[in-house]
Amino acid sequence: ALAWAEAGIDFSDEEVPEEADSEARAGIGILLNEIKAHLNDAHRGELIREGLYITVIGQPNSGKSTLVNALAKRDVAIVSETAGTTRDVIEVRMDLGGYAVTLADTAGLREAAESVEAEGVRRALARAEAADIVILVLDGTAADPFAGIPEDAKAKAALAVWNKADHGFPVVRDGLAMSARTGEGLPALVAALTGLVEDRLAGAGEAPVLTRARHRELILGGGAYRSVKRGR
């Protein structure tokens, strides 16, 4: 396309083929559509490189920390029968189905009795809002397993699991049942979670992905001149 355009400029006083302009425009149009297709990838390449953020939310003592430890296969979060043990967001980097993810344990969602716990609840909700995937852990033995969980947090959850299946549920619970303590149902949860990650990161075709924000900026044209000046 550049050659056709340059020919029309440099040899304007000579007989340049009539199709020079149309050929150049056609080639640019094809290239522009390909660039748009690469950019319209929901930042998949950067997510593959940096990893998805997965946040675990739920009531206090629903088993969130035990689940995070089970998924990470090591003791990341403190597990205690005392409600409200987790006050801040605890993160762990791990591999899930070959993809890098950051798994976050959060404070239990309830009406906080004091300021420190209230801040923990606020951070938990903020992290859930910003997460790529939210896991809602529900205590299957609780009389009201949804108490204290805001509606928008429930709506944000891509996956809800009923924990403490080893204790037996008082009523039938529809959905994925598991025991984070014994590992019962954990493979099914891992498979479901891996499927969500793959759906988010898998792309159609074999087109190369944009793995860095700088690459995306350059394709958009925002940093092209600066990069040339700096010799990149």
Side-chain angles (χ1 to χ4, degrees):
L2 182 59
W4 281 117
E6 288 180 343
I9 295 172
D10 295 341
F11 305 103
S12 58
D13 57 341
E14 300 182 19
E15 292 187 4
V16 179
E18 295 182 358
E19 67 271 17
D21 183 69
S22 60
E23 289 284 350
R25 291 180 181 274
I28 291 172
I30 294 172
L31 182 60
L32 182 60
N33 289 332
E34 291 179 354
I35 289 175
K36 288 179 178 178
H38 287 310
L39 291 172
N40 189 28
D41 65 350
H43 293 261
R44 180 170 59 92
E46 289 134 281
L47 289 175
I48 291 175
R49 180 174 178 270
E50 299 295 334
L52 288 179
Y53 279 85
I54 302 174
T55 298
V56 180
I57 63 172
Q59 292 178 332
N61 274 357
S62 60
K64 301 184 304 301
S65 298
T66 304
L67 175 59
V68 168
N69 289 343
L71 291 173
K73 298 181 181 179
R74 59 189 177 93
D75 290 336
V76 176
I78 296 175
V79 176
S80 171
E81 294 182 359
T82 303
T85 302
T86 303
R87 298 297 185 93
D88 206 347
V89 177
I90 300 173
E91 294 184 345
V92 57
R93 293 273 293 179
M94 56 178 286
D95 177 280
L96 189 65
Y99 294 102
V101 300
T102 297
L103 187 65
D105 186 20
T106 60
L109 302 180
R110 66 176 178 180
E111 290 293 331
E114 42 87 21
S115 60
V116 176
E117 185 179 2
E119 176 61 17
V121 171
R122 186 197 68 78
R123 293 186 182 189
L125 292 174
R127 181 54 63 91
E129 179 63 28
D132 298 300
I133 297 175
V134 174
I135 303 174
L136 175 59
V137 179
L138 301 166
D139 183 350
T141 67
D144 187 0
F146 292 99
I149 303 176
E151 288 298 324
D152 55 347
K154 287 191 286 186
K156 175 75 175 179
L159 190 62
V161 295
W162 293 97
N163 192 30
K164 303 186 181 182
D166 53 312
H167 292 287
F169 299 154
V171 296
V172 176
R173 304 295 192 187
D174 293 329
L176 185 61
M178 63 163 294
S179 169
R181 185 177 66 85
T182 67
E184 175 188 351
L186 187 62
L189 170 60
V190 171
L193 186 56
T194 301
L196 290 174
V197 172
E198 289 177 342
D199 288 344
R200 182 67 187 272
L201 296 181
E206 299 297 328
V209 295
L210 302 171
T211 59
R212 295 181 183 273
R214 183 171 66 87
H215 297 167
R216 186 176 297 274
E217 180 188 4
L218 292 175
I219 289 179
L220 286 169
Y225 178 73
R226 293 193 303 274
S227 295
V228 170
K229 292 288 285 186
R230 292 171 184 170
R232 294 183 185 176

